[in-house]
Amino acid sequence: MSEKNKVIVVGGGLCGTLLAIRLRQRGFETLLFEKRPDMRKEEISAGRSINLALSNRGLRALEMIGLREKAKEITIPMKGRMLHDREGNLRLSPYSGRPGDHINSISRGDLNSMLYDEAERLGVPIQFNTSCIAADPDSGKVVFKDQDGVVTEVHGAAVFGADGAGSVIRREAMKRSNEIRFNFSQNFLTHGYKELSIPPGEGGSFRIEKNALHIWPRKTFMMIGLPNPDATFTITLFLPFEGEDGFDAIQSDADVQRYFEKWFPDAIPHMPHLLQEYRENPTSSLGTIRCYPWKTGEKTLLIGDAAHAIVPFYGQGMNCAFEDVVVLDQIMDEKEGNWGAIFDSFQKRRKKDADAIADLAIDNFIEMRDSVADPVFTKKRQLEMELERNFPDYYSKYSLVTFREDIPYSTAMKVGRKQDEYLLEVCAKAGDIGSIDREELVEQLLVKRLMADG
Ligand SMILES: Cc1cc2nc3c(=O)[nH]c(=O)nc-3n(C[C@H](O)[C@H](O)[C@H](O)COP(=O)(O)OP(=O)(O)OC[C@H]3O[C@@H](n4cnc5c(N)ncnc54)[C@H](O)[C@@H]3O)c2cc1C
């Protein structure tokens, strides 16, 4: 194959590996470089978050590469949020009123390994333990260093920076920020997270409801739990770093015990390793990264978290990164051969959607930790479920984002926010939602939708 046909993907995470598969399927000689060891051979942490919520946008990308059904085999469907109050009462809040709509818990490591297997099956060589240390975005030259310190230069007709939130390819763009007018912002949340776990129960059973995403909402902070196929749950504690309810205030084992007894008493019997895990597992920060342009040179494009890292509260970071590849693929159909034009089109089409899901993810943090337990919000969700069951054209904001892969995030945000505003107003006014005229409501919502949609 000629040099013209050679493309380089930097970063063999979820996005980079899926992209490498697609480029190979399109006939490119594709080289994939990953700084970590091969997770299929070595026991390494898969990185941030052990499991992830995979939804329709991500599934569409997996379908594009022919792995949707295989991936679904290793998922656990989650039909709704199982809310745990401080007294240990449980309430299931479904994600949708449409039967069959659900999100899926999947192991990051298993999904990434499945993608590695497929990439290699198609003939993509994956260079593990090899870090990108420099790049020239215009010439397509990328410099790598392997674990023995050996430095090599590789040239490609196109280079994809899929190297995640701490991207080296993006750092290279920042070096020439004046030249390309490179905008960059990074906003940390005041909250961070720590991963804990719930082991299997007796006889390998699930100790709490298997088919739900568990939430312990506590207004300014929360804990969540996602199921794994081995009957464990990955628990993530999202707390402020500072303040009396924050990580800084929880130092000793006794502090942890007191904190959980106060805020999450029903979880304690299910978490026999709580104290040890709390002590040993890192506390990590969360933030949003925005930058532009993503085309950092004639031959280089940022993609996935390298272009737009978001906070995890909509469960959309990976889904969005996968959707990047779907959009790129569509553009390649339109403009085959000319990388500069493809990258231009991609960033123009995609930036507003990445911005929208970044904003929505921050909104959802408030919703998950606070609103889900609020009585007006609860009424609104009940009403939305009923509307989704009875009116085929109605989709809540959550459903537009999560289950409508045919609608861009930016449209889902505009329409969803208008609907939310109106429904919350109606629910706050109505004592009993039973008295609300459904036909009239749906008509009003349609007007709001048309107005938001322009
Ligand atoms: C706590 C948490 C929970 C989350 N939950 C969800 C969820 O439920 N659903 C969802 O859709 N998303 C979720 N996300 C977001 C999701 O993890 C990311 O959006 C997704 O991993 C992005 O994929 P990526 O391939 O772009 O980046 P990454 O997954 O970060 O992959 C980048 C890869 O590049 C490699 N790399 C880095 N630097 C170099 C270098 N110099 N040279 C070579 N290789 C390099 C890294 O080792 C890594 O393998 C969550 C994130 C967090 C933090």
Coordinates of all heavy atoms in Angstrom, one line a residue, residues 81-127:
R81 N -33.5 4.1 37.0 CA -32.7 4.5 38.2 C -33.3 3.9 39.4 O -34.5 4.2 39.6 CB -32.6 6.0 38.4 CG -32.0 6.8 37.2 CD -32.3 8.2 37.3 NE -31.5 9.0 36.3 CZ -31.9 10.2 35.9 NH1 -33.0 10.8 36.3 NH2 -31.1 10.9 35.1
M82 N -32.6 3.2 40.2 CA -33.1 2.7 41.5 C -32.7 3.6 42.5 O -31.5 3.7 42.8 CB -32.6 1.3 41.8 CG -33.2 0.7 43.0 SD -35.0 0.4 42.9 CE -35.1 -1.2 42.1
L83 N -33.6 4.4 43.1 CA -33.2 5.4 44.0 C -33.3 4.9 45.5 O -34.3 4.3 45.9 CB -34.2 6.6 43.9 CG -34.3 7.2 42.5 CD1 -35.4 8.2 42.4 CD2 -33.0 7.8 42.0
H84 N -32.2 5.2 46.2 CA -32.1 4.7 47.6 C -32.2 5.9 48.5 O -31.3 6.8 48.4 CB -30.7 4.1 47.8 CG -30.5 2.8 47.1 ND1 -30.3 1.6 47.7 CD2 -30.4 2.6 45.7 CE1 -30.0 0.7 46.7 NE2 -30.1 1.2 45.5
D85 N -33.2 6.0 49.4 CA -33.2 7.2 50.3 C -32.4 6.8 51.5 O -31.9 5.7 51.7 CB -34.6 7.7 50.5 CG -35.5 6.7 51.4 OD1 -34.9 5.8 52.0 OD2 -36.7 6.9 51.4
R86 N -32.4 7.8 52.5 CA -31.5 7.5 53.7 C -32.1 6.5 54.6 O -31.4 5.9 55.4 CB -31.3 8.9 54.4 CG -30.3 9.7 53.8 CD -30.1 11.0 54.5 NE -29.4 10.9 55.7 CZ -29.1 11.9 56.5 NH1 -29.5 13.2 56.2 NH2 -28.5 11.8 57.7
E87 N -33.4 6.2 54.4 CA -34.0 5.2 55.3 C -33.9 3.8 54.6 O -34.4 2.8 55.2 CB -35.5 5.5 55.5 CG -35.8 6.5 56.6 CD -35.4 7.9 56.1 OE1 -35.8 8.3 55.0 OE2 -34.6 8.6 56.9
G88 N -33.3 3.8 53.4 CA -33.2 2.5 52.7 C -34.4 2.1 51.9 O -34.5 1.0 51.3
N89 N -35.4 3.1 51.7 CA -36.5 2.8 50.8 C -36.0 2.9 49.4 O -35.2 3.7 49.1 CB -37.6 3.9 51.0 CG -38.1 3.8 52.5 OD1 -38.4 2.8 53.0 ND2 -38.2 5.0 53.1
L90 N -36.6 2.1 48.6 CA -36.2 2.0 47.2 C -37.3 2.4 46.2 O -38.5 2.1 46.5 CB -35.8 0.6 46.8 CG -34.7 -0.1 47.5 CD1 -34.5 -1.5 47.1 CD2 -33.4 0.7 47.4
R91 N -37.0 3.1 45.2 CA -38.0 3.5 44.2 C -37.4 3.4 42.8 O -36.3 4.0 42.6 CB -38.5 4.9 44.4 CG -39.6 5.3 43.4 CD -40.4 6.6 43.9 NE -39.5 7.7 44.1 CZ -39.1 8.5 43.2 NH1 -39.4 8.3 41.9 NH2 -38.3 9.6 43.4
L92 N -38.0 2.7 41.9 CA -37.4 2.6 40.5 C -38.0 3.7 39.7 O -39.2 3.8 39.5 CB -37.7 1.2 39.9 CG -37.1 1.0 38.5 CD1 -35.6 0.9 38.6 CD2 -37.7 -0.2 37.8
S93 N -37.2 4.5 39.1 CA -37.6 5.5 38.2 C -37.2 5.1 36.8 O -36.0 5.2 36.4 CB -37.0 6.9 38.6 OG -37.2 7.8 37.6
P94 N -38.1 4.6 35.9 CA -37.7 4.1 34.6 C -37.1 5.2 33.7 O -37.4 6.4 33.9 CB -39.0 3.6 34.0 CG -40.0 3.6 35.1 CD -39.6 4.6 36.1
Y95 N -36.2 4.8 32.9 CA -35.5 5.7 32.0 C -36.5 6.2 30.9 O -36.3 7.3 30.3 CB -34.3 5.1 31.3 CG -33.1 5.1 32.2 CD1 -32.4 3.9 32.5 CD2 -32.6 6.3 32.8 CE1 -31.3 3.9 33.4 CE2 -31.5 6.3 33.6 CZ -30.9 5.1 33.9 OH -29.8 5.2 34.7
S96 N -37.5 5.4 30.6 CA -38.4 5.7 29.5 C -39.7 5.1 29.7 O -39.8 4.1 30.4 CB -37.7 5.2 28.2 OG -38.7 5.1 27.1
G97 N -40.8 5.7 29.1 CA -42.1 5.1 29.1 C -42.3 4.1 28.0 O -43.3 3.3 28.0
R98 N -41.3 4.0 27.1 CA -41.4 3.1 26.0 C -40.9 1.7 26.4 O -39.7 1.6 26.8 CB -40.7 3.6 24.7 CG -41.3 4.7 24.1 CD -40.6 5.1 22.8 NE -41.4 6.2 22.2 CZ -41.5 7.4 22.7 NH1 -40.7 7.7 23.7 NH2 -42.3 8.3 22.2
P99 N -41.7 0.7 26.3 CA -41.2 -0.6 26.7 C -39.9 -1.0 25.8 O -39.9 -0.7 24.6 CB -42.3 -1.6 26.3 CG -43.4 -0.8 25.7 CD -43.0 0.6 25.7
G100 N -39.0 -1.6 26.5 CA -37.8 -2.0 25.7 C -36.6 -1.0 25.8 O -35.5 -1.3 25.6
D101 N -36.9 0.3 26.0 CA -35.8 1.3 26.1 C -35.0 1.1 27.4 O -35.6 1.1 28.5 CB -36.4 2.7 26.2 CG -36.7 3.3 24.8 OD1 -36.4 2.6 23.8 OD2 -37.3 4.4 24.7
H102 N -33.7 0.9 27.2 CA -32.9 0.8 28.4 C -31.5 1.2 28.0 O -31.1 1.2 26.9 CB -32.9 -0.7 28.9 CG -32.4 -1.7 27.9 ND1 -33.3 -2.4 27.1 CD2 -31.2 -2.1 27.6 CE1 -32.6 -3.2 26.3 NE2 -31.3 -3.0 26.6
I103 N -30.6 1.4 29.1 CA -29.2 1.6 28.8 C -28.5 0.3 29.3 O -29.1 -0.6 29.9 CB -28.7 2.9 29.5 CG1 -28.9 2.8 31.0 CG2 -29.4 4.1 28.9 CD1 -28.2 4.0 31.7
N104 N -27.2 0.2 28.9 CA -26.5 -1.0 29.2 C -25.2 -0.8 30.0 O -24.4 0.0 29.6 CB -26.1 -1.7 27.8 CG -27.3 -1.8 26.9 OD1 -28.1 -2.8 27.0 ND2 -27.5 -0.9 26.0
S105 N -25.0 -1.6 31.0 CA -23.8 -1.6 31.7 C -22.8 -2.5 31.0 O -23.1 -3.7 30.7 CB -24.0 -2.1 33.1 OG -22.8 -2.0 33.9
I106 N -21.6 -2.0 30.7 CA -20.6 -2.8 30.1 C -19.2 -2.6 30.7 O -18.9 -1.4 31.1 CB -20.6 -2.5 28.5 CG1 -19.7 -3.6 27.8 CG2 -20.1 -1.1 28.2 CD1 -20.0 -3.6 26.3
S107 N -18.4 -3.6 30.7 CA -17.0 -3.4 31.3 C -16.2 -2.7 30.3 O -16.1 -3.1 29.1 CB -16.5 -4.8 31.6 OG -15.1 -4.8 31.4
R108 N -15.5 -1.6 30.7 CA -14.6 -0.9 29.8 C -13.5 -1.8 29.3 O -13.2 -1.8 28.1 CB -14.0 0.3 30.6 CG -13.1 1.2 29.8 CD -12.3 2.1 30.7 NE -13.0 3.1 31.3 CZ -13.3 4.3 30.8 NH1 -12.8 4.6 29.6 NH2 -14.0 5.2 31.4
G109 N -13.0 -2.6 30.2 CA -11.9 -3.5 29.8 C -12.3 -4.6 28.8 O -11.7 -4.8 27.8
D110 N -13.5 -5.2 29.0 CA -14.0 -6.2 28.1 C -14.3 -5.6 26.7 O -14.1 -6.2 25.7 CB -15.3 -6.9 28.6 CG -14.9 -7.7 29.9 OD1 -13.7 -7.9 30.1 OD2 -15.9 -8.2 30.5
L111 N -14.9 -4.4 26.7 CA -15.3 -3.7 25.4 C -14.0 -3.4 24.7 O -13.9 -3.7 23.5 CB -16.1 -2.5 25.7 CG -16.5 -1.7 24.5 CD1 -17.3 -2.6 23.5 CD2 -17.4 -0.5 24.9
N112 N -13.0 -2.8 25.4 CA -11.8 -2.4 24.7 C -11.1 -3.7 24.2 O -10.6 -3.7 23.0 CB -10.9 -1.7 25.7 CG -10.2 -0.5 25.0 OD1 -9.9 0.6 25.7 ND2 -9.8 -0.6 23.8
S113 N -11.1 -4.7 25.0 CA -10.4 -6.0 24.5 C -11.1 -6.5 23.3 O -10.5 -7.0 22.3 CB -10.5 -7.0 25.6 OG -9.7 -6.6 26.7
M114 N -12.5 -6.5 23.2 CA -13.2 -6.9 22.1 C -12.8 -6.1 20.8 O -12.6 -6.7 19.7 CB -14.7 -6.8 22.4 CG -15.6 -7.2 21.2 SD -17.3 -6.9 21.6 CE -17.7 -8.1 22.8
L115 N -12.6 -4.8 21.0 CA -12.2 -4.0 19.9 C -10.8 -4.3 19.5 O -10.5 -4.3 18.3 CB -12.4 -2.5 20.3 CG -13.8 -2.0 20.5 CD1 -13.8 -0.6 21.1 CD2 -14.6 -2.0 19.3
Y116 N -9.9 -4.6 20.4 CA -8.5 -5.0 20.0 C -8.6 -6.2 19.2 O -7.9 -6.3 18.2 CB -7.7 -5.2 21.3 CG -7.2 -4.0 22.0 CD1 -7.0 -4.0 23.4 CD2 -7.1 -2.7 21.4 CE1 -6.5 -2.9 24.1 CE2 -6.7 -1.6 22.1 CZ -6.4 -1.7 23.4 OH -6.0 -0.6 24.1
D117 N -9.4 -7.2 19.6 CA -9.4 -8.5 18.9 C -9.9 -8.2 17.5 O -9.3 -8.8 16.5 CB -10.4 -9.5 19.6 CG -9.9 -10.0 20.9 OD1 -8.7 -9.9 21.1 OD2 -10.7 -10.6 21.6
E118 N -10.9 -7.4 17.3 CA -11.4 -7.2 16.0 C -10.4 -6.4 15.1 O -10.2 -6.7 13.9 CB -12.7 -6.4 16.1 CG -13.4 -6.1 14.8 CD -14.0 -7.3 14.1 OE1 -13.8 -8.5 14.6 OE2 -14.5 -7.2 12.9
A119 N -9.8 -5.4 15.7 CA -8.8 -4.6 15.0 C -7.7 -5.6 14.5 O -7.3 -5.5 13.3 CB -8.2 -3.5 15.9
E120 N -7.2 -6.4 15.3 CA -6.1 -7.3 14.9 C -6.6 -8.4 13.9 O -5.9 -8.7 13.0 CB -5.6 -8.1 16.2 CG -4.7 -7.1 17.0 CD -4.1 -7.7 18.2 OE1 -4.6 -8.8 18.7 OE2 -3.1 -7.1 18.8
R121 N -7.9 -8.8 14.1 CA -8.4 -9.8 13.1 C -8.4 -9.1 11.7 O -8.2 -9.8 10.7 CB -9.8 -10.1 13.5 CG -10.4 -11.3 12.8 CD -11.9 -11.6 13.2 NE -12.8 -10.5 12.7 CZ -13.2 -10.5 11.4 NH1 -12.9 -11.4 10.6 NH2 -14.0 -9.5 11.1
L122 N -8.7 -7.8 11.6 CA -8.7 -7.1 10.4 C -7.3 -6.7 9.8 O -7.2 -6.2 8.8 CB -9.6 -5.9 10.5 CG -11.1 -6.1 10.7 CD1 -11.8 -4.8 11.1 CD2 -11.8 -6.8 9.5
G123 N -6.3 -7.0 10.7 CA -4.9 -6.7 10.2 C -4.4 -5.4 10.7 O -3.5 -4.8 10.0
V124 N -5.0 -4.8 11.7 CA -4.4 -3.5 12.2 C -3.3 -3.9 13.3 O -3.6 -4.5 14.3 CB -5.5 -2.7 13.0 CG1 -4.9 -1.4 13.6 CG2 -6.6 -2.3 12.0
P125 N -2.1 -3.5 13.0 CA -1.1 -3.8 14.0 C -1.2 -2.8 15.2 O -1.3 -1.6 15.0 CB 0.3 -3.6 13.3 CG -0.1 -2.7 12.1 CD -1.6 -2.8 11.8
I126 N -1.3 -3.3 16.4 CA -1.4 -2.4 17.6 C -0.1 -2.4 18.3 O 0.4 -3.5 18.8 CB -2.5 -2.9 18.5 CG1 -3.8 -3.2 17.8 CG2 -2.8 -1.8 19.6 CD1 -5.0 -3.8 18.6
Q127 N 0.5 -1.3 18.4 CA 1.8 -1.1 19.1 C 1.5 -0.7 20.5 O 1.2 0.5 20.8 CB 2.6 0.0 18.5 CG 3.0 -0.3 17.0 CD 4.3 -1.0 16.9 OE1 5.0 -1.2 17.9 NE2 4.7 -1.4 15.7

